């Protein structure tokens, strides 16, 4: 018996403030003007993508005590730009990364509920936990949260926000002019939540939104992060985009669902993916190499090396050999505000591997960094790329991909024009949006809404 | 004369949602707000403001009510403004934000982004919150119950002074963050591989009684440099906030002598704050019920009062009459030193359309109002120049 074909989910990630984004290309446009956001969102909607995705970082990154200036720097406020994009799109989901440490549930819940209303049910929230004191310096509470408490706060933040979303059931507004009854319930939106992180009560002021609540994404990679996703998220934004790695992650996370009484179709796995397209596979391979060189300048190569070595290596020649000295394994001080630094879990071992590779292949620092960091996920002609994407999804390495173009804002145009029609021909990607909400387009069950009786439900305040 | 409208739900009268043309079932939709702002733009208004708060609307002072006969529930004002921005081209967009429970870092980048998505039409109206129930929605601070009877006691006076001092700090941080990137910080220098010139990004290193903020912003300096900051003020302490921090103060005079007195108090406070040379507009707020004749306007308001079960009163003067009578009043108050007005439509769309379709042509006939949008951004519409960046040269005051 053959398995039915899985339908692929695709999203467009606005190019980020990291070296994937090639700002030096002559075609590279503004990273802050609204026209760039509108261009990418419209391309994504033209291609029938599920959603548009925005990352967030609340402090400019630093390296060697200075603001890091080699990548794109600067981005808009997530909610504000997504609300504006709702005006220039009709079907596209609008996913925003919003931190659970330097925000409060009441405000975030009213922002997401508002975005969901103003987009007709297209809002999604990527719940991230960046907690560091460095970022905290921009906020009232400073670096108040220890690292080990980040997911406890995220869990209870999300639970609290959901209590706020659910505090209105959807049948409170009568708006009956004749009878003079606006509200069917004199005290709508009651909530009361008391735990170690949040001690709040009252009435929520945004009535129930079209989706009930935003679609929930999670992007942490630790065991705790995966558990959080298994218990509470609708989708995961992961880094595991290759076949073997993707399959392992997919099996791991989907395997955690049963414990929470959930089924595998209730959590989508969507890794980040980059792509390089050309007329032939050979041309694409050449182009991919050129793009890698653009992404890793000599200065960027040194900066990457410093992030592993945790030392000032500004005196080294990027076209020369790797440093003889070992990484400093003490407290990480060289780069701040960069989540990826913690990916180097054993810097000494990684440095040993890098040295061995550089020696074996006679690589300079820059060549080594090009080789060990971020090769593009999909490289080839449109038909090769379509086939590769389909293969990974059908093999349960993912349920689709969040595509990160390397050129702003036109970097998705060619994919939309050439690859998407091939996926549609294969019968694995929609030709029309299935529903009006993001939940519907992601194939997620609608949330129970109106029918909940006023007296019951886990979130109702006692009073 | 500058003219703006204050948008709030179905209009400012609590029974406005029951008017035949009201759309009470649409208040949470993008289409509703787009229609209102488009109408304001058709009337060439300088800007619209969006009311907001961090709790349900209430008819009671400082606490929730349990009324079912008035509009309850609303959307975040900054996001409404952003949602209508791409669909309009000229009219300024000034959402309300509560400063007491929010982060200046978040609001600064939100308004900067509103300025980007509207291509230079953003403003921010700051508002303080001292009610125990709004504080309980956040659980980070507590305030004693407010009662009208306590007003004027030393404790209440201290509370009020603190609230507005915090608001002044908040605006200071928001403004410093807007300036924390110089306009030409993005260099895209291929030769050195540098995207920005870090010499043109600035830590603000603000440290005050209520919060410290390091900076710089994550969002580059907005198109207007400094979006327009406004506040509503009814008494000396809030007048001082206007004088210290704002580009526009909304005030509520009862007649032109009162208007003159308020303007003079604000000018004095402005001098005291060392801002005598900076432009600061004082706008008069009025609630308006307009009709083709005075009796019709009055009847309409009385009908709404009957539906509401009480005579509608307001902090601002409640005007009922014709567009021509309103034009007379506005011109007289303008003589008292008001640069413009923020009209609160009693009912939407009736009074909004009466403003854009009757009052505006009336003022145009009298040569008192623009016949076309004449300026590229909100500051320019208001006659405010684009301010130099406070961090751009050492010669300038770094504060
Ligand atoms: C693909 C991916 C994208 C992420 N994007 C962001 C982001 O935009 N902003 C952010 O603050 N954290 C981001 N993170 C960080 C995580 O969401 C998470 O909060 C952090 O890594 C700590 O959790 P962990 O230890 O489980 O990884 C991202 C992580 C991954 C894997």
């Amino acid at each position: 018996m053959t398995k039915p074909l899985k339908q692929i989910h695709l999203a467009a990630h606005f190019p980020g403030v990291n070296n994937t984004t090639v700002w030096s290309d002559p075609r590279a446009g503004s990273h802050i003007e609204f026209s760039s956001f509108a261009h990418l969102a419209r391309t994504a909607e033209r291609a029938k993508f599920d959603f548009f995705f925005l990352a967030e970082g609340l402090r400019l990154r630093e390296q060697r005590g200075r603001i890091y200036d080699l990548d794109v720097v600067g981005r808009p406020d997530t909610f504000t730009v997504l609300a504006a994009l709702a005006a220039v799109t009709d079907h596209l989901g609008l996913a925003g990364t919003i931190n659970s440490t330097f925000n409060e549930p009441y405000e975030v819940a009213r922002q997401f509920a508002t975005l969901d209303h103003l987009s007709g049910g297209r809002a999604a929230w990527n719940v991230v936990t960046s907690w560091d004191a460095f970022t905290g310096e921009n906020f009232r509470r400073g670096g108040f949260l220890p690292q080990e408490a980040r997911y406890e706060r995220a869990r209870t933040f999300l639970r609290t926000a959901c209590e706020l979303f659910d505090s209105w059931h959807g049948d409170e507004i009568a708006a009956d002019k004749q009878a003079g009854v606006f509200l069917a319930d004199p005290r709508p939106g009651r909530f009361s939540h008391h735990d170690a992180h949040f001690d709040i009560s009252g009435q929520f002021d945004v009535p129930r939104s079209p989706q009930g609540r935003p679609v929930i994404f999670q992007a942490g990679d630790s065991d705790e992060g995966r558990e959080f996703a298994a218990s509470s998220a609708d989708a995961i934004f992961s880094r595991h985009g290759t076949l073997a790695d993707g399959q392992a992650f997919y099996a791991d996370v989907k395997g955690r669902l049963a414990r929470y009484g959930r089924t595998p179709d209730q959590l989508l796995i969507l890794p980040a993916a980059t792509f390089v397209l050309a007329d032939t596979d050979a041309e694409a391979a050449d182009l991919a190499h050129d793009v890698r060189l653009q992404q890793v300048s000599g200065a960027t190569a040194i900066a990457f090396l410093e992030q592993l070595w945790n030392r000032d290596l500004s005196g080294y020649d990027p076209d020369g050999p790797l440093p003889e000295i070992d990484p400093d394994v003490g407290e990480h001080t060289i780069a701040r505000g960069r989540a990826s630094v913690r990916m180097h879990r054993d810097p000494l071992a990684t440095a040993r591997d890098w040295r061995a590779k550089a020696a074996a292949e006679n690589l300079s620092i820059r060549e080594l960094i090009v080789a060990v960091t971020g090769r593009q996920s999909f490289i080839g002609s449109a038909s090769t790329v379509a086939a590769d994407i389909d293969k990974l999804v059908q093999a349960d390495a993912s349920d689709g991909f969040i595509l990160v173009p390397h050129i702003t804002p036109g970097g998705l145009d060619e994919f939309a024009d050439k690859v998407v029609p091939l996926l549609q021909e294969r019968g694995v990607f929609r030709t029309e949006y299935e529903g009006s909400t993001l939940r519907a387009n992601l194939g997620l069950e609608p949330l129970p809404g109106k029918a909940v009786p006023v007296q019951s439900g886990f979130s109702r305040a006692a009073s | 004369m500058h003219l703006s409208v204050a948008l709030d739900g179905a209009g400012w009268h609590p029974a406005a949602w029951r008017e035949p043309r009201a759309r009470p079932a649409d208040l949470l939709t993008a289409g509703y707000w787009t229609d209102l702002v488009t109408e304001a733009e058709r009337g060439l208004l300088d800007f619209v403001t969006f009311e907001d708060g961090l709790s349900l609307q209430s008819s009671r002072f400082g606490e929730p009510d349990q009324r079912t006969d008035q509009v309850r529930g609303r959307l975040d004002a900054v996001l409404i403004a952003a949602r209508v921005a791409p669909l309009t081209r000229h009219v300024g967009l000034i959402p309300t934000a509560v400063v007491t429970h929010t982060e200046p870092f978040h609001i600064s980048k939100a308004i900067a982004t509103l300025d980007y998505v509207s291509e230079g039409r953003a403003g921010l109206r700051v508002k303080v919150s001292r009610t125990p129930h709004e504080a309980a929605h956040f659980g980070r601070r507590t305030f004693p119950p407010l009662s009208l009877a306590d007003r004027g006691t030393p404790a209440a006076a201290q509370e009020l002074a603190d609230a507005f001092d915090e608001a002044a700090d908040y605006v200071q941080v928001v403004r410093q963050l807007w300036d924390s990137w110089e306009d030409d910080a993005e260099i895209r220098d291929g030769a050195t591989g540098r995207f920005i010139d870090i010499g043109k990004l600035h830590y603000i290193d603000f440290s005050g009684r209520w919060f410290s903020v390091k900076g710089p912003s994550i969002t580059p300096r907005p198109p207007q440099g400094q979006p327009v900051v406004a506040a509503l003020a009814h008494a000396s302490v809030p007048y001082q906030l206007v004088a210290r921090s704002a580009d526009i103060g909304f005030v509520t005079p009862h007649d032109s002598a009162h208007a003159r007195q308020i303007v003079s108090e604000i000018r004095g406070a402005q001098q005291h704050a060392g801002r005598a040379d900076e432009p600061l507009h004082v706008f008069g707020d009025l609630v308006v019920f307009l009709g083709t004749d005075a009796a019709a306007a009055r009847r309409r308001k009385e009908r709404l009062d009957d539906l509401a079960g009480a005579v509608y009163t307001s902090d601002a003067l409640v005007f009922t009459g014709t567009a021509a009578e309103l034009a007379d009043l506005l011109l007289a108050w303008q003589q008292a030193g008001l640069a413009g007005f923020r009209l609160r439509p009693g009912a939407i769309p009736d009074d909004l359309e009466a403003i854009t379709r009757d009052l505006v042509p009336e003022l145009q006939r009298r040569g008192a109002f623009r016949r076309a949008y004449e300026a590229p951004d909100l500051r320019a519409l208001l006659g405010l120049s684009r301010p130099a960046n406070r961090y751009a040269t050492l010669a300038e005051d770094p504060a």
Side-chain angles (χ1 to χ4, degrees):
Chain A
M1 203 182 98
T2 53
K3 236 172 82 175
L5 283 179
K6 278 166 74 184
Q7 289 296 305
I8 297 173
H9 296 285
L10 291 175
H13 187 304
F14 192 81
V17 296
N18 53 51
N19 77 309
T20 300
T21 307
V22 177
W23 54 258
S24 55
D25 190 284
R27 293 164 297 170
S30 171
H31 276 262
I32 192 66
E33 281 166 24
F34 183 61
S35 57
S36 288
F37 294 86
H39 180 122
L40 183 63
R42 286 184 172 125
T43 304
E45 184 160 276
R46 166 162 68 82
K48 307 284 188 294
F49 273 35
D50 294 67
F51 59 94
F52 176 96
F53 187 95
L54 270 184
E56 181 186 69
L58 295 171
R59 172 114 187 233
L60 298 182
R61 302 186 298 193
E62 294 186 1
Q63 191 148 331
R64 268 190 269 121
R66 300 165 11 142
I67 291 168
Y68 189 79
D69 56 5
L70 302 177
D71 294 335
V72 168
V73 184
R75 46 180 155 202
D77 177 69
T78 302
F79 285 116
T80 311
V81 87
L82 292 180
L85 286 174
V88 300
T89 53
D90 295 317
H91 302 282
L92 189 67
L94 301 166
T97 298
I98 292 292
N99 173 289
S100 56
T101 304
F102 303 109
N103 284 294
E104 296 297 334
Y106 193 94
E107 191 184 11
V108 166
R110 83 194 294 276
Q111 288 168 314
F112 272 116
T114 297
L115 181 63
D116 205 45
H117 277 291
L118 293 177
S119 63
R122 298 188 279 138
W125 172 14
N126 179 32
V127 185
V128 297
T129 62
S130 305
W131 71 92
D132 52 288
F134 176 72
T135 303
E137 285 183 332
N138 283 331
F139 297 98
R140 286 178 185 261
R141 301 184 74 195
F144 71 97
L145 193 69
Q147 175 174 353
E148 58 279 9
R150 70 193 190 286
Y151 275 108
E152 186 194 311
R153 173 151 170 129
R155 266 192 308 276
T156 179
F157 193 115
L158 179 59
R159 192 178 312 126
T160 309
C162 287
E163 289 169 16
L164 295 168
F165 295 132
D166 289 342
S167 68
W168 289 71
H169 305 114
D171 53 5
E172 291 87 348
I173 296 184
D176 182 341
K177 291 184 185 181
Q178 254 36 60
V181 174
F182 186 84
L183 280 182
D185 175 352
R187 294 186 58 212
R190 291 193 301 285
F191 66 93
S192 171
H193 183 107
H194 308 280
D195 65 24
H197 293 276
F198 306 108
D199 181 10
I200 64 175
S201 60
Q203 287 173 269
F204 189 51
D205 64 336
V206 185
R208 195 171 183 84
S209 71
Q211 293 187 112
R213 61 166 165 78
V215 172
I216 303 298
F217 280 73
Q218 188 278 349
D221 202 34
S222 59
D223 189 59
E224 259 194 295
R226 295 177 186 203
E227 213 56 42
F228 175 49
S231 69
S232 318
D234 300 308
I236 299 187
F237 179 28
S238 93
R239 308 195 167 93
H240 307 283
T242 59
L243 180 64
D245 190 23
Q247 284 176 326
F249 181 79
Y250 194 96
D252 175 283
V253 185
K254 296 235 181 188
R256 296 173 190 242
L257 289 166
R259 225 174 302 163
Y260 300 98
R262 304 180 70 202
T263 52
D265 56 330
Q266 292 179 326
L267 178 66
L268 299 172
I269 313 296
L270 303 172
T274 52
F275 59 90
V276 176
L277 291 169
D279 288 343
T280 65
D281 289 351
E283 283 170 38
D286 288 346
L287 182 56
H289 186 70
D290 293 346
V291 171
R292 292 294 296 136
L293 289 174
Q294 285 181 294
Q295 289 170 331
V296 184
S297 67
T300 296
I302 295 293
F304 265 84
L305 209 61
E306 287 182 340
Q307 288 160 26
L308 178 65
W309 255 257
N310 191 24
R311 291 179 189 281
D312 181 346
L313 303 175
S314 53
Y316 285 79
D317 176 3
D319 297 320
L322 267 65
E324 298 291 337
I325 51 166
D326 277 331
D328 177 349
V329 294
E331 187 195 347
H332 195 100
T333 53
I334 202 83
R336 301 206 290 171
R338 190 185 282 273
S340 61
V341 161
R342 291 178 309 111
M343 285 169 63
H344 299 313
R345 289 192 170 129
D346 185 351
L348 289 174
T350 307
R352 252 191 324 270
D353 292 348
W354 285 11
R355 281 208 200 92
K357 184 177 174 71
E361 300 172 31
N362 192 25
L363 302 177
S364 68
I365 289 175
R366 185 175 177 207
E367 288 164 340
L368 184 272
I369 295 295
V370 167
V372 298
T373 61
R375 178 190 171 275
Q376 296 89 347
S377 323
F378 301 108
I379 301 171
S381 66
S383 65
T384 299
V385 168
D388 288 351
I389 288 176
D390 191 19
K391 185 179 87 184
L392 287 176
V393 172
Q394 304 309 334
D396 283 348
S398 82
D399 294 312
F401 292 94
I402 297 182
L403 296 174
V404 191
H406 61 268
I407 302 281
T408 309
L412 193 66
D413 297 355
E414 197 181 353
F415 189 98
D417 293 334
K418 295 186 177 159
V419 181
V420 166
L422 297 178
L423 292 171
Q424 289 167 333
E425 272 174 32
R426 287 172 165 261
V428 293
F429 191 66
R430 70 171 66 81
T431 52
E432 292 301 334
Y433 284 101
E434 294 87 354
S436 67
T437 65
L438 175 58
R439 282 196 81 79
N441 290 322
L442 288 172
L444 299 167
E445 289 295 310
L447 295 165
K450 290 183 185 263
V452 187
V454 173
Q455 260 32 279
S456 72
F458 75 100
S459 69
R460 302 302 294 177
S463 53
Chain B
M1 177 188 300
H2 297 289
L3 210 55
S4 63
V5 290
L7 299 177
D8 188 14
W12 286 72
H13 195 290
W17 67 275
R18 300 180 64 182
E19 284 287 81
R21 294 182 62 218
R23 295 162 58 188
D26 293 348
L27 302 179
L28 306 172
T29 66
Y32 179 76
W33 294 97
T34 304
D35 289 347
L36 303 195
V37 179
T38 303
E39 181 62 33
E41 185 164 84
R42 192 174 302 144
L44 307 175
L45 302 192
D46 290 76
F47 59 84
V48 298
T49 63
F50 303 89
E51 295 302 305
D52 205 358
L54 295 170
S55 58
L56 286 172
Q57 304 90 326
S58 176
S59 57
R60 305 193 15 193
F61 182 75
E63 57 181 5
D65 62 14
Q66 294 189 33
R67 293 188 78 126
T68 56
D69 64 337
Q70 299 180 3
V71 170
R72 294 290 178 267
R74 59 179 151 204
L75 302 177
D76 181 90
V78 175
L79 299 188
I80 294 175
R83 179 63 177 76
V84 300
L87 306 177
T88 51
R89 287 189 52 201
H90 302 285
V91 69
L93 303 167
I94 307 188
T96 301
V98 171
V99 299
T100 312
H101 302 294
T102 62
E103 294 282 353
F105 192 86
H106 287 318
I107 279 291
S108 180
K109 67 181 160 60
I111 301 301
T113 302
L114 180 61
D115 210 37
Y116 278 105
V117 303
S118 65
E119 296 181 329
R121 293 182 284 132
L124 165 67
R125 178 207 155 192
V126 293
K127 177 177 158 184
V128 304
S129 162
R130 240 36 191 183
T131 65
H133 70 287
E134 281 199 0
H137 292 165
F138 288 79
R140 301 257 160 257
R141 48 211 302 199
T142 53
F143 298 117
L146 288 178
S147 88
L148 286 167
D150 292 341
R151 268 204 213 168
T153 64
Q158 188 57 50
E159 267 291 309
L160 189 71
D162 281 354
F164 283 91
D165 279 347
E166 182 179 352
D169 276 7
Y170 193 104
V171 174
Q172 163 112 354
V173 167
V174 166
R175 287 188 179 283
Q176 288 183 348
L177 287 168
W178 286 336
D179 275 357
S180 64
W181 291 56
E182 294 184 33
D183 292 321
D184 52 356
E186 185 180 314
I187 51 171
R188 298 194 185 220
D189 182 35
T192 58
R194 291 177 309 142
F195 183 76
I196 48 164
D197 174 355
I198 58 170
K200 298 194 174 198
L201 264 59
H202 303 276
Y203 296 104
I204 70 165
D205 279 320
F206 180 90
S207 180
R209 228 176 110 191
W210 292 275
F211 41 76
S212 302
V213 178
K214 179 80 183 173
S217 180
I218 60 166
T219 306
R221 194 169 195 240
Q224 293 183 99
Q226 292 278 318
V228 172
V229 176
L232 171 66
H234 304 98
S236 294
V237 171
Y239 292 155
Q240 285 161 27
L241 173 69
V242 167
R244 279 191 277 178
S245 307
D247 301 296
I248 304 177
F250 303 127
V251 301
T252 52
H254 298 302
D255 53 38
S256 74
H258 190 203
R260 186 167 286 116
Q261 179 202 324
I262 293 170
V263 170
S264 133
E265 183 171 352
I266 291 177
R267 295 291 172 225
Q270 192 184 350
Q271 187 119 31
H272 188 73
R275 286 184 70 208
D277 297 338
E278 289 179 38
L280 165 58
H281 290 319
V282 184
F283 274 44
D285 264 26
L286 294 114
V287 186
V288 298
F289 295 86
L290 295 166
T292 45
D293 61 69
R298 208 167 39 249
R299 274 197 306 278
R300 199 158 65 78
K301 196 230 171 210
E302 283 165 4
R303 187 158 47 77
L304 286 166
D305 286 349
D306 285 344
L307 286 172
V311 174
Y312 175 67
T313 59
S314 168
D315 55 328
L317 183 81
V318 179
F319 175 90
T320 54
T322 65
E325 288 166 346
L326 180 57
D328 291 341
L329 183 149
L330 300 185
L331 288 164
W333 285 21
Q334 190 184 24
Q335 293 304 309
L338 297 176
F341 298 90
R342 186 175 77 138
L343 304 179
R344 308 178 186 175
I348 287 173
D350 299 298
D351 293 302
L352 174 62
E353 289 175 1
I355 290 165
T356 54
R357 299 175 191 199
D358 300 330
L359 175 67
V360 163
E362 182 66 33
L363 289 169
Q364 287 170 331
R365 274 192 291 279
R366 302 187 194 193
F369 194 66
R370 70 172 64 86
R371 289 178 177 274
Y373 280 111
E374 72 279 4
D377 66 24
L378 176 58
R379 288 192 72 90
L381 268 189
L382 292 168
L384 305 170
S385 60
R386 191 173 191 281
N389 189 318
R390 75 197 64 205
Y391 299 111
T393 65
L394 293 173
E396 280 178 27
D397 179 0

